[in-house]
Amino acid sequence: MRAAFRKTVLVVDEGSLASTVQARDLLRIARELRIAKVVLVGDEKQLDAVDAGKPFAQLQRAGMKTAVMDEILRQKDPALKAAVEASLAGDVRAAFERLGPNVAGVKPDNLAGAAAARWLKLSPEARENAGLMAPSHALRERINAIVRERLIRDGAIRGPALETERLVSLGYTRAEKSLAASYAEGHAVAFHRAYKRLGVGKGDELRVAGTDPKTGTVALEKADGRTVAWQPHRLAGSSGGVEVYRSGTMELREGDRIRWTKNDAGLGLVNSQTAEVVGVKDRTVTFRLEDGRPLALHRDDPRLRHVDRAWASTVHAFQGRTVDTVIAAMEANHPNLTTQKTFYVEISRARHHAELVTDDRDALRERLEAATGERVATLEAAEPERAKTPEAGREAVSDLERNGVSPEPKGRIMEQENACDLRGIEMDI
């Protein structure tokens, strides 16, 4: 197998979204397979990983040779391009001035409705190349509900309905997954690999029957009704070997647009890819996939548990995409998600036009000016002065070299459609 990868270059896009653990595991696998070169491509000004760490930025600080492409190619409208450049520089006031009336304030209870209404005003053809975004899952779900209600009224969604169970990821970090107190009766726990001690296989989904936070134990119920005691802080939880879901229901009718929330290699389904419901009959729903293939799934098919509405997306999910028009909602004072990074990603996905809807225009601008969204890594917090010295950088590079990563790459980084301080790091493995 190693010989097969001897001349392979592994390119990893959206490098800023990789956590420390993910980057470490990636480099370990690359070294084990003798992959010749790993190239990380991304923008450290965009959103970071959900889990801890910001290795894409830290590798650059540590002295890794980096190719920088700082010419913006995506934005075709001059005013929008100027707004994106201002947001990248942290000049929120200038970005708002460039966007002008495209930053609209609405009543707080109408934030989701205003965003949905702007998308619904577009023609069906324009909607196909428009992005509808919200930072939080809660706001995204409200927007999707309003869009769907209107499409049903207009007859775009029609016909018989099929109601299925839907599993919604709770988005836990590894730290949260390791705590028994994070689990509640009825939650579903999906295992990413087999654990013989628990008698579970890769992909198995067990239900939480109860918890004992004092002992750190979670009682899991298997499909046959048997229960097994699991301590997530000792097995699978702290290592990220599971995903945790809450259970809900979802109605599907002809005309619905969904996105897959879990990969399925057998059917060629990829997380975040979309599909359209083209028919519901005899407890079976038929989809048309992005590549045009039909796919029929019975009501009890477990794959139906991993679908979601697709009209509106979170900013995290939309980060790697490009569309003609962006319509984004942003709460002025969300404590965690209203940041310069979120603002930059929202408006920079558009080629020609970006609209931002908020519940308080002035408060949003003030909040963005104060909240950069920059994450402080543990090493930076523990040794802020040492991390800034050239000696610290040389030591960090030496540590990377001991793990098989060379700080002196060769070659060129492939050109991307959009480059806004886009960085490519090449590593010889």
Side-chain angles (χ1 to χ4, degrees):
M1 181 179 289
R2 289 179 175 177
F5 292 102
R6 185 167 53 85
K7 296 183 179 181
T8 297
V9 176
L10 177 61
V11 180
V12 182
D13 200 8
E14 299 298 338
S16 70
L17 292 177
S19 69
T20 296
V21 171
Q22 289 172 327
R24 179 204 64 190
D25 291 347
L26 171 71
L27 295 179
R28 283 179 175 174
I29 293 169
R31 186 179 65 230
E32 185 65 26
L33 294 177
R34 298 291 192 270
I35 292 176
K37 194 179 294 291
V38 175
V39 181
L40 304 181
V41 180
D43 184 351
E44 63 179 284
K45 292 292 186 179
Q46 293 187 8
L47 299 172
D48 296 312
V50 174
D51 282 324
K54 51 177 188 179
F56 184 69
Q58 287 177 294
L59 283 169
Q60 296 172 65
R61 304 291 184 276
M64 295 295 294
K65 188 175 179 182
T66 304
V68 179
M69 294 176 283
D70 54 9
E71 179 185 357
I72 296 179
L73 302 177
R74 176 179 287 141
Q75 279 73 49
K76 309 304 180 185
D77 178 78
L80 177 58
K81 182 177 180 179
V84 171
E85 289 174 333
S87 69
L88 181 62
D91 192 344
V92 177
R93 185 176 296 273
F96 270 47
E97 289 175 355
R98 293 294 186 179
L99 290 170
N102 288 340
V103 181
V106 300
K107 293 181 179 179
D109 61 357
N110 191 39
L111 184 56
R118 282 162 169 76
W119 185 85
L120 287 163
K121 280 183 180 179
L122 301 174
S123 67
E125 294 76 20
R127 292 173 191 170
E128 290 296 320
N129 210 359
L132 183 57
M133 276 184 279
S136 69
H137 285 288
L139 182 54
R140 175 189 62 83
E141 288 179 356
R142 293 202 300 273
I143 294 172
N144 275 328
I146 294 169
V147 168
R148 188 171 190 268
E149 181 181 358
R150 169 65 181 276
L151 293 177
I152 291 174
R153 193 165 69 240
D154 291 348
I157 296 176
R158 56 201 175 274
L162 180 72
E163 189 170 278
T164 67
E165 182 188 23
R166 173 188 170 219
L167 296 182
V168 182
S169 173
L170 293 173
Y172 284 166
T173 63
R174 292 183 181 224
E176 290 170 322
K177 291 175 184 177
S178 68
L179 299 175
S182 298
Y183 299 82
E185 187 174 350
H187 281 173
V189 180
F191 288 83
H192 298 324
R193 48 160 286 195
Y195 290 92
K196 291 183 179 180
R197 287 168 55 185
L198 294 176
V200 299
K202 180 179 179 180
D204 284 358
E205 295 175 358
L206 280 64
R207 299 286 174 164
V208 175
T211 63
D212 185 351
K214 290 183 179 179
T215 62
T217 303
V218 177
L220 297 177
E221 183 178 340
K222 297 184 176 182
D224 60 6
R226 292 181 299 149
T227 59
V228 59
W230 173 49
Q231 291 185 309
H233 65 286
R234 295 182 180 275
L235 185 69
S238 59
S239 64
V242 297
E243 190 61 51
V244 188
Y245 303 90
R246 63 175 173 84
S247 180
T249 60
M250 186 173 185
E251 181 188 85
L252 295 173
R253 299 172 65 183
E254 182 182 348
D256 268 318
R257 288 195 65 83
I258 63 96
R259 65 181 181 89
W260 309 104
T261 59
K262 187 177 181 180
N263 294 331
D264 189 294
L267 292 179
L269 305 180
V270 179
N271 187 3
S272 290
Q273 284 190 345
T274 61
E276 181 180 356
V277 177
V278 294
V280 174
K281 186 178 180 181
D282 298 332
R283 296 168 61 87
T284 297
V285 57
T286 302
F287 300 96
R288 180 169 56 242
L289 306 182
E290 286 187 359
D291 60 8
R293 288 183 296 135
L295 174 65
L297 298 176
H298 188 267
R299 182 182 184 275
D300 298 326
D301 194 303
R303 297 173 184 87
L304 284 179
R305 297 203 291 263
H306 297 281
V307 299
D308 197 1
R309 307 289 183 202
W311 297 290
S313 301
T314 61
V315 182
H316 253 102
F318 211 88
Q319 178 161 293
R321 296 181 58 187
T322 299
V323 290
D324 287 342
T325 301
V326 158
I327 298 167
M330 182 178 281
E331 296 158 295
N333 289 299
H334 194 288
N336 302 315
L337 301 178
T338 302
T339 68
Q340 289 180 23
K341 286 196 171 194
T342 302
F343 173 59
Y344 166 50
V345 171
E346 283 190 331
I347 66 173
S348 65
R349 302 304 90 199
R351 292 190 186 96
H352 303 291
H353 184 76
E355 292 186 46
L356 184 63
V357 184
T358 181
D359 49 0
D360 191 322
R361 193 181 194 277
D362 292 337
L364 174 62
R365 190 193 69 238
E366 292 175 3
R367 169 77 182 180
L368 292 175
E369 288 176 337
T372 64
E374 290 292 340
R375 174 181 291 177
V376 178
T378 302
L379 289 176
E380 294 170 334
E383 302 179 276
E385 295 304 319
R386 179 177 177 275
K388 297 176 183 178
T389 65
E391 289 76 12
R394 284 194 289 270
E395 290 177 17
V397 172
S398 295
D399 288 339
L400 289 169
E401 287 177 315
R402 282 193 288 272
N403 281 283
V405 180
S406 168
E408 292 297 334
K410 303 176 181 64
R412 294 174 55 83
I413 306 300
M414 67 178 67
E415 185 175 358
Q416 303 290 308
E417 179 203 358
N418 180 59
C420 197
D421 199 23
L422 189 70
R423 294 168 184 265
I425 305 173
E426 293 191 37
M427 297 177 286
D428 294 320
I429 299 298

